[in-house]
Amino acid sequence: MSKTPIKPENLPERLIWYYLIGTYLFYLLGAQSVVAPILATFLIFYLLNKWLNQTEKTSTDEKIKISLSSWVWFIATLVIEFALIVGHLDFDLGTSTIIRSTSNWYRGWVLFTFFIFAGHLNIRPQVIYRATCIVCLQSLIVLLVASLAILAKIPPIVLTSPLKVFGGNLESYNIVLFYIIDEGKARVQLFAPWAPALGFVANIYFCFALQESNLKWRWFGLFGSVAMIVLSVSRLAIITPPIVLGSVWLLTNFFRPWVQLTAGFISMILGIFAPMVIDFLEMFKEQFHKARAGSSEVRAALRRMAKDAWWNEAPIWGHGAIELRGPALVGHIPIGTHHTWFGTLYTQGLVGCAALAVAFLASFIELLTRAQTEQNAKVGLSVILVILLFTTADNIDTYSYLYWPGLVILGIALKPNSVLTDTTSFD
């Protein structure tokens, strides 16, 4: 079987390829949260142009077909914005705040949806897999430099990009060289605005590295992504790979008789030793929280405050926006952050949260169904499971500019007739 070199073959692939391999350049310029929305917007106009101008003579590869699940995401995004506006009006937050919140909505949920739609273009997933493996290799080199800086006790260097004037996620404009100190420990965040976000992206890159056909690049991708996960010191990031790998394997093999028999046997054993299993899980949970007790306490307080404020003050439409400065009890961290579901309840109420849940459920069901026979859907299922896990630790819309390659792969997986064949080996 002949090997075909990986190289971008059309405009969308070239834009994605050069953006990804230039990740660290964009980070050093503080330009990620500015360039990513531009890229998403351009890809959507490119898609619309091809969609509106396609004819019966358009080849199958070039024909645009939008999946039902992607339209569900589009509708959910509009519902979230509608709930956001109603929340602003209910609390009389003013026109300027509505404009600012809508801008953040565009940079978050709209970007999320745009990149899913962009996956319906003629984009080969192998291009994204290879490009992210290159980023992982770059990260290994940067991690080596960061490790030397930690050993040499060179203090962290933090710069602020002048692009901060464009607004949005202000953390994205902070350029951190080498490492950060958090609760007395050194952590790396590389091209991410903070360490847990790096762990989030690294988990998606880990899923991609497993799909890389070239052995050398696969190992670079696996080593690089695992190194980023571990050195981010994010507890959720560290436990995510085994959870996702195990879940995808079980979900795509459950209907095999021997798997069902094994699952039944394990269930019986767990039932017999239920007290011991419960004690083990309680101990694991306790140790998990103790690993970074301060962070766990703050997150728990934020969830509790967000839930109480949502239920007591704005159960249907939400508050419209988070406060710029939270209470002293949580270190002035704004209520409605650090958890997607509680954050959505707080800002967009039950309406926005329900829309988001329906969109996730629709994509999960479609991917689960198609993953039984399609490799692209299997990768998409891995991506959506990673995203779902991280909804419990952060506001995922805030970082859609960062993990957008996963959203493009999600779009490719949802694309009608998206089947990855094994007839070509890529070098």
Side-chain angles (χ1 to χ4, degrees), residues 296-315:
S296 295
E297 291 174 4
V298 169
R299 288 177 179 275
L302 285 170
R303 292 194 297 268
R304 185 175 61 254
M305 291 177 180
K307 181 184 69 175
D308 292 344
W310 159 67
W311 183 252
N312 296 321
E313 300 169 8

Side-chain angles (χ1 to χ4, degrees), residues 313-360:
E313 300 169 8
I316 305 301
W317 299 103
H319 294 76
I322 62 174
E323 297 179 0
L324 295 178
R325 186 176 173 85
L329 176 65
V330 290
H332 302 293
I333 298 174
I335 299 173
T337 60
H338 290 73
H339 199 290
T340 297
W341 301 105
F342 285 113
T344 306
L345 283 172
Y346 182 82
T347 53
Q348 283 96 14
L350 186 60
V351 172
C353 192
L356 183 60
V358 169
F360 266 115

Side-chain angles (χ1 to χ4, degrees), residues 64 73 83 129 166 181-182 215 266 312:
I64 304 296
W73 274 110
Y129 300 155
F166 288 102
I181 298 295
D182 186 14
L215 187 60
I266 292 174
N312 296 321

Side-chain angles (χ1 to χ4, degrees), residues 40 73-74 77 105-118 200 340 356 359-360 363 383-384 387-388 391 396-401 403-404 406-408 410-411:
W73 274 110
F74 179 74
T77 301
W105 164 78
Y106 187 88
R107 293 168 179 264
W109 289 122
V110 172
L111 225 63
F112 189 103
T113 304
F114 275 9
F115 278 120
I116 290 177
F117 270 75
F200 182 6
T340 297
L356 183 60
F360 266 115
S363 294
V383 170
I384 204 167
I387 295 173
L388 280 169
T391 60
I396 59 169
D397 56 305
T398 308
Y399 302 109
S400 53
Y401 76 91
Y403 63 88
W404 62 267
L407 299 174
V408 177
L410 197 56

Side-chain angles (χ1 to χ4, degrees), residues 81-99 101-102 314 317-321 347:
E81 169 64 2
F82 182 73
L84 180 145
I85 293 173
V86 174
H88 278 70
L89 296 177
D90 284 347
F91 286 87
D92 196 24
L93 297 180
T95 304
S96 61
T97 306
I98 291 178
I99 294 172
S101 296
T102 299
W317 299 103
H319 294 76
T347 53

